[in-house]
Amino acid sequence: MNSFNTQHSLAALGAPFSLPCTPTPVSAPQWLAFNAELATQLRLPKQYWHSDDGLAVFSGNIVPDWASPLAHAYAGHQFGHFVPQLGDGRALLLAEVINADNQLFDIQLKGAGQTPFSRRGDGRSPLGPVLREYLVSEAMYALGVPTTRALAAVLTGDFVQRETAEPGAILTRVASSHIRIGSFQYLAARGDHGQLKTFADYVINRHYPACASEANPYLALLAAVVAAQAKLVARWMSLGFIHGVMNTDNMSIAGETIDYGPCAFMDSFNPAQVYSFIDTQGRYAWGNQPRIASWNLARFAETLLPLLTEQPEQAVELATEVLQSFNGQNETEFLRLMAAKIGIVTATDTDEVLIRDLLNLMSANHADFSQSFRLLSRSVSDTAAGAAALFADKQGWSDWAAKWQQRLATQGIDPLQVSQQMDNTNPALIARNHLVAAAITQATEQADLTLFNRLHKALATPYTLSDDNADFALPPQPQQLIKNTFCGT
């Protein structure tokens, strides 16, 4: 236990930032999954590794002496509509852990029962959303995307009522913190600038300590969060990932992907693609994600205005200047990432047209997003091979490929090296929606984790294909397409 270093800095702030709360025990917990690699990083004592002790802790049936459970308070804009109090309605922070690299991480139970913020909900989670978040968050981690992670998943032995009665489960989630834009909105809505300053200082100290030495630490905080979100959203889009519910309460101050509800990786490329069943207007479509992130950041900036300067008009001017930097940062990062996907080492402004033309060609031909880029490496030496097979418009492909090869030639890099670099950039395996859904169905209806375990293992090495996982690289057949996903709350 000596090396397992925990603290409770958020709990130390007290109300209104969080409220203490105890998990609600469950009847018959069973292990679903345990992440030994992450447990090692956190230096979690072996007594909790896939053991009865661990099962008791991660089901919420006991509170260990190193935990001080609490529910975090936050507000949020949900599909553009402000709700002044949301908070952790089904999640409890157990502790903050200092890992071997002296980094601080939250350990949180998700689905552990009612909290002061449950708003008449049961505080529970069905099995499906727990398995989805476990698979997709760990897949994102393997892809190098900043994200929350999954430490454990347990079956509760109880049923939760949604449209039907479903098996209940609890996810143990790890994050650099669970602080969101909505956390600041909650405090701003209360109108207590002293509390807001206390919390902003806490966030600076925890996530962006360099901001403390700036002339205006709170403006520097805004700039740091803008930069983190600009890079994160560019990374999502370069992988064809759609978050699905980019409400301000689902946007992490730390720049991590958080709250995997109606999320999905695209199959056929469509900039207007949505997966969330309730996103009927396409607010959170793939192509809208930068715009929504910018909008969310503007809401964050609004909360900080009283801290920027005592002059309201000047505060708005300062914040606006920082916010206006988002588009440039996001576009620059997206161009860099997309250029690497097509084998270009150093992107230039003219490469933007080449990338846009390829995306337009993919959209017009309903080409699979991930396969288009993965197979492109085989087209480096022979444009009739690889990705060519995905395009019905052969002339359109031929015209684009000729321009692309001319651009590659200007780099003076051996084609084999270019192909290898592209395969190290473009994943062969993503958490395809139909596979995740099939794994959930098998687990829920047959109590069988075979597909879940196979998929979890394969997604840990997304750039490598083997005989054991080659079937996971294939796009869905028409009858396998999943058009909608659900958050499970």
Side-chain angles (χ1 to χ4, degrees):
M1 291 290 289
N2 291 337
S3 64
F4 186 52
N5 192 349
T6 62
Q7 65 179 43
H8 306 283
S9 62
L10 184 61
L13 294 179
F17 309 102
S18 64
L19 295 173
C21 185
T22 303
T24 304
V26 302
S27 65
Q30 300 176 52
W31 281 107
L32 292 167
F34 180 77
N35 191 335
E37 177 258 338
L38 180 54
T40 300
Q41 293 180 25
L42 297 174
R43 299 187 291 190
L44 183 74
K46 286 290 183 72
Q47 74 179 89
Y48 301 113
W49 285 40
H50 220 290
S51 64
D52 289 344
D53 284 351
L55 189 60
V57 169
F58 299 130
S59 66
N61 277 4
I62 67 166
V63 177
D65 57 5
W66 48 263
S68 181
L70 61 82
H72 177 49
Y74 50 85
H77 277 87
Q78 300 194 316
F79 286 86
H81 302 287
F82 185 63
V83 182
Q85 179 173 300
L86 293 168
D88 285 333
R90 58 172 178 160
L92 291 174
L93 174 64
L94 293 182
E96 299 145 9
V97 180
I98 303 173
N99 75 357
D101 297 321
N102 205 36
Q103 298 170 314
L104 192 64
F105 290 92
D106 284 356
I107 296 184
Q108 181 198 70
L109 299 184
K110 187 174 180 182
Q114 289 186 324
T115 79
F117 305 109
S118 291
R119 296 183 298 159
R120 299 185 301 279
D122 60 15
R124 293 301 190 187
S125 176
L127 173 60
V130 166
L131 296 182
R132 172 177 289 274
E133 180 157 353
Y134 199 107
L135 284 174
V136 181
S137 65
E138 286 301 298
M140 292 283 271
Y141 174 77
L143 289 166
V145 182
T147 180
T148 61
R149 298 194 64 190
L151 176 62
V154 300
L155 201 64
T156 64
D158 303 315
F159 282 84
V160 296
Q161 187 66 40
R162 296 300 181 259
E163 290 189 359
T164 60
E166 302 178 46
I170 296 174
L171 177 77
T172 302
R173 183 164 68 179
V174 173
S176 60
S177 86
H178 288 83
I179 297 167
R180 308 126 186 281
I181 289 175
S183 306
F184 282 82
Q185 290 182 293
Y186 176 77
L187 296 171
R190 295 170 64 92
D192 189 325
H193 296 168
Q195 291 177 340
L196 183 66
K197 182 179 183 302
T198 295
F199 193 65
D201 289 340
Y202 170 79
V203 170
I204 287 172
N205 180 65
R206 179 163 180 173
H207 289 297
Y208 302 103
C211 294
S213 60
E214 295 291 328
N216 190 328
Y218 309 110
L219 189 65
L221 171 63
L222 175 60
V225 175
V226 166
Q229 289 292 339
K231 289 185 177 182
L232 177 65
V233 173
R235 187 73 174 129
W236 288 354
M237 296 183 69
S238 74
L239 292 165
F241 179 76
I242 301 169
H243 183 277
V245 61
M246 291 174 64
N247 297 330
T248 56
D249 55 293
N250 292 336
M251 301 299 290
S252 164
I253 290 297
E256 293 179 334
T257 314
I258 191 170
D259 289 324
Y260 290 91
C263 64
F265 289 87
M266 265 195 294
D267 295 308
S268 297
F269 177 61
N270 173 12
Q273 181 68 59
V274 297
Y275 284 96
S276 173
F277 181 73
I278 59 176
D279 191 4
T280 56
Q281 303 301 312
R283 177 180 175 88
Y284 300 138
W286 178 86
N288 276 350
Q289 291 179 124
R291 181 178 66 83
I292 293 299
S294 180
W295 190 90
N296 288 343
L297 289 164
R299 308 290 76 77
F300 176 50
E302 289 168 355
T303 71
L304 296 180
L305 290 178
L307 306 182
L308 300 183
T309 175
E310 294 181 357
Q311 304 299 321
E313 291 184 3
Q314 185 183 9
V316 171
E317 291 176 1
L318 291 171
T320 299
E321 184 177 358
V322 172
L323 290 169
Q324 287 174 341
S325 71
F326 173 85
N327 286 342
Q329 293 184 72
N330 175 257
E331 290 166 4
T332 298
E333 182 67 4
F334 184 67
L335 174 61
R336 183 186 72 81
L337 293 169
M338 295 302 291
K341 290 174 76 69
I342 63 173
I344 296 172
V345 177
T346 304
T348 66
D349 290 342
T350 56
D351 294 324
E352 186 176 352
V353 176
L354 189 65
I355 292 163
R356 185 180 66 239
D357 288 348
L358 175 59
L359 292 175
N360 288 339
L361 189 66
M362 288 166 58
S363 179
N365 286 264
H366 308 290
D368 185 82
F369 186 92
S370 296
Q371 275 211 324
S372 293
F373 290 104
R374 180 68 181 189
L375 295 179
L376 199 58
S377 64
R378 304 181 192 176
S379 306
V380 170
S381 299
D382 181 2
T383 58
L390 302 180
F391 296 90
D393 179 4
K394 299 303 181 186
Q395 188 60 53
W397 160 258
S398 180
D399 291 345
W400 181 85
K403 296 175 184 176
W404 171 56
Q405 287 210 325
Q406 289 175 3
R407 175 64 178 93
L408 292 181
T410 65
Q411 298 185 120
I413 302 174
D414 179 78
L416 179 60
Q417 184 179 344
V418 173
S419 295
Q420 290 173 339
Q421 176 267 321
M422 291 172 67
D423 280 346
N424 291 332
T425 301
N426 297 309
L429 300 170
I430 55 170
R432 288 191 180 272
N433 216 14
H434 71 291
L435 297 175
V436 174
I440 290 171
T441 298
Q442 187 182 75
T444 303
E445 297 182 0
Q446 303 172 35
D448 186 350
L449 292 171
T450 302
L451 182 55
F452 170 85
N453 289 329
R454 278 193 64 212
L455 193 54
H456 178 242
K457 180 180 179 182
L459 293 172
T461 56
Y463 300 97
T464 303
L465 273 181
S466 67
D467 292 340
D468 292 337
N469 60 32
D471 55 323
F472 292 156
L474 300 175
Q477 295 297 312
Q479 69 274 16
Q480 295 176 307
L481 278 172
I482 304 294
K483 295 182 179 180
N484 296 121
T485 54
F486 304 86
C487 67
T489 54

